Amino acid sequence: MTSTDLTKPIRRSDFADGFLWGVSTSAYQIEGAADVDGRVPSIWDTFSATPGKVRDGSTGAAACDHYHRWEEDLDLAREMGLNSYRFSIAWTRIFNGVDERPNAAGLAFYSRLVDGMLARGLQPWCTLYHWDLPQYLQDRGGWENRATIDAYLRYVDVMTRHLGGRVKHWITHNEPWCTAMHGNWDGMHAPGNKSLPLALRVCHNVLVSHGLAVPLIRANVPDAKVGIALSLHPIKAASDSAADREAVVRHDVLRNRWFLDPLFGRGYPELALRLVGDDAPAAMEGDMDAIAARCDFLGVNYYFPEVVVDAPEQYPLRTAIVHPQDRERTGFGWEVSPQGLVDLLARVAREYPAGDLYVTENGSSYDDHPDADGAVNDTARRDYLIRHLAATRDAIAAGAPVKGYFAWSLLDNFEWAEGYLRRFGLTYVDYPTQRRTVKQSGRWYGAFVRGD
Ligand code: FCB
């Protein structure tokens, strides 16, 4: 653990001049306009329309209607004084599964969006895959089918040629753990399968697709910076017992090292392979080398630490996640631990030759309500943000080369299996009217970034 003084006030000048200040978003969570301009269904359209899958029975069909309101939304980011903006492309706006050629209306939308960012001084950070696989590909086996890797590379090729003159920062995948495990092991996310070996095969193919995309993006984009965004968690023992401390090591090998190790050329961790046994994915020749393609940066998405106990009956890790009562939590029940971010960034920098690090997501959900005068005073979210920026500062001081911070998220949005019940935005969205109100947290972030 790195010792740190998170109570020391943060100042804009604690961060380097070129530090990136941004917000993160994703297509399915904000765009809406689900059947506009030739977009076809993704696995999230199908999943969210299936009764019982999303807690409030909602879908992303309307979401924040960002597809039509993107100018207003980019204005919000500009008014905050941000210098970067992370977004994702909806693959289903580009390829419809019938035409070989990309959909001109989809290409034009992302062209407008990127031009809009550049006109507002926002450096575009493009995520190519944020979970919204075309349903027509899922119908043929989805990420379990290696043909999906080829389809992904074709889509990546088209998008990087189309935007590569203007977009230099590319993220191949957002949180492959969630794509694979929530999508195919616990079934909480689309497509909703429940099989560990399937999840591990999906995971492998997603990582291969990442690795093959890296040189492709570099070939298409002059001066490209390419990386991946991982959801990483510090793992903590619930007690000091030797059994719980060993549980931490086992939990970590699948949660974190299953991704970090192969990306940095070390292959899947031995311990993890032993634990999953025959459920391990079969790698084809060249796969592990492909996955280890050198990246320019690593994106770290951090929300909370996981606390685990030894649980001998649980296959495959023999661990269980627990939720100690004595922790500060967000409205979503996620533990608030800025120290976890210091530890995580310091660990990645210490154990892996990761190069530049970016906090590509970090944020909190609370049950916000406008006051009588319409203001949204989300003091808890503002304090969460302040403390996690202090954590980022302290991680940098401890030697982690963090070059930017993207708050999740610009707007309240469709929070996957939680629907619209969880608000993560720095901006409040009144869904019936689509009116946006910058919250206290967003006003604070803007004032901090602008140095007011
Ligand atoms: C992350 C996702 C992002 C958002 C946040 C709260 O796991 O990448 O889309 O849902 O959680």
Side-chain angles (χ1 to χ4, degrees), residues 26 29 130-131 174-175 178 301 303 334 361 408 415-416 424:
S26 95
Q29 293 179 274
H130 200 124
W131 307 352
N174 181 67
E175 302 190 350
C178 293
N301 292 1
Y303 289 92
W334 292 0
E361 284 182 30
W408 182 270
E415 177 49 32
W416 310 113
F424 276 91

Side-chain angles (χ1 to χ4, degrees), residues 115 133 137 163 198 204 210-211 240 245 275 310 356 370 404 449:
D115 286 345
L133 185 73
L137 290 176
L163 298 175
L198 169 61
H204 181 74
H210 153 79
D240 283 340
R245 279 187 280 120
L275 290 165
D310 179 44
D356 290 349
V449 169

Side-chain angles (χ1 to χ4, degrees), residues 84-393:
S84 50
Y85 181 88
R86 178 175 171 229
F87 68 109
S88 81
I89 293 172
W91 186 343
T92 56
R93 293 196 190 281
I94 308 301
F95 285 105
N96 65 12
V98 180
D99 298 336
E100 286 287 304
R101 288 179 13 165
N103 171 18
L107 293 176
F109 171 67
Y110 292 106
S111 206
R112 288 196 297 277
L113 191 63
V114 162
D115 286 345
M117 289 172 214
L118 295 172
R120 289 167 179 79
L122 300 166
Q123 184 177 92
W125 278 59
C126 180
T127 307
L128 286 155
Y129 185 78
H130 200 124
W131 307 352
D132 43 358
L133 185 73
Q135 180 61 44
Y136 59 83
L137 290 176
Q138 187 61 43
D139 295 342
R140 295 171 218 151
W143 284 110
E144 191 191 12
N145 182 348
R146 288 183 77 110
T148 295
I149 301 175
D150 301 330
Y152 172 78
L153 294 173
R154 162 105 176 97
Y155 152 72
V156 170
D157 186 40
V158 164
M159 291 318 303
T160 50
R161 282 173 197 273
H162 181 57
L163 298 175
R166 292 166 283 169
V167 178
K168 301 299 176 187
H169 293 85
W170 294 89
I171 293 175
T172 55
H173 280 272
N174 181 67
E175 302 190 350
W177 194 94
C178 293
T179 301
M181 307 299 188
H182 280 331
N184 298 281
W185 186 17
D186 62 39
M188 273 168 48
H189 285 180
N193 296 317
K194 291 191 178 166
S195 155
L196 176 63
L198 169 61
L200 294 175
R201 286 198 294 277
V202 162
C203 195
H204 181 74
N205 290 348
V206 166
L207 289 175
V208 171
S209 78
H210 153 79
L212 295 175
V214 172
L216 175 62
I217 297 169
R218 288 222 177 90
N220 286 348
V221 181
D223 310 318
K225 301 282 183 214
V226 190
I228 187 168
L230 300 179
S231 46
L232 299 175
H233 297 257
I235 315 293
K236 310 278 181 194
S239 79
D240 283 340
S241 74
D244 284 352
R245 279 187 280 120
E246 280 162 32
V248 167
V249 176
R250 290 196 303 279
H251 201 79
D252 184 55
V253 283
L254 196 58
R255 198 54 159 118
N256 297 314
R257 289 186 49 206
W258 189 263
F259 301 87
L260 289 165
D261 282 19
L263 287 168
F264 292 102
R266 300 175 193 169
Y268 294 121
E270 280 295 324
L271 173 60
L273 290 172
R274 269 210 310 281
L275 290 165
V276 302
D278 291 345
D279 287 344
M284 287 174 57
E285 208 185 322
D287 281 0
M288 301 315 288
D289 285 343
I291 294 172
R294 190 186 54 76
C295 286
D296 299 290
F297 64 86
L298 178 70
V300 175
N301 292 1
Y302 170 71
Y303 289 92
F304 56 89
E306 281 185 350
V307 183
V308 299
V309 292
D310 179 44
E313 70 292 350
Q314 293 291 327
Y315 176 79
L317 301 178
R318 294 187 275 111
T319 65
I321 296 170
V322 293
H323 303 277
Q325 301 261 307
D326 59 344
R327 309 292 156 95
E328 180 185 346
R329 294 186 184 279
T330 67
F332 200 160
W334 292 0
E335 182 178 338
V336 177
S337 173
Q339 181 64 47
L341 180 57
V342 184
D343 297 346
L344 178 64
L345 292 168
R347 179 220 178 157
V348 171
R350 194 173 54 241
E351 295 182 15
Y352 298 93
D356 290 349
L357 300 176
Y358 291 86
V359 177
T360 34
E361 284 182 30
N362 173 240
S364 58
S365 155
Y366 292 95
D367 194 11
D368 306 311
H369 293 288
D371 298 348
D373 61 1
V376 181
N377 287 311
D378 58 338
T379 311
R381 182 177 294 97
R382 182 200 60 185
D383 291 351
Y384 178 103
L385 178 59
I386 292 173
R387 287 184 286 162
H388 286 78
L389 289 178
T392 306
R393 171 202 64 200

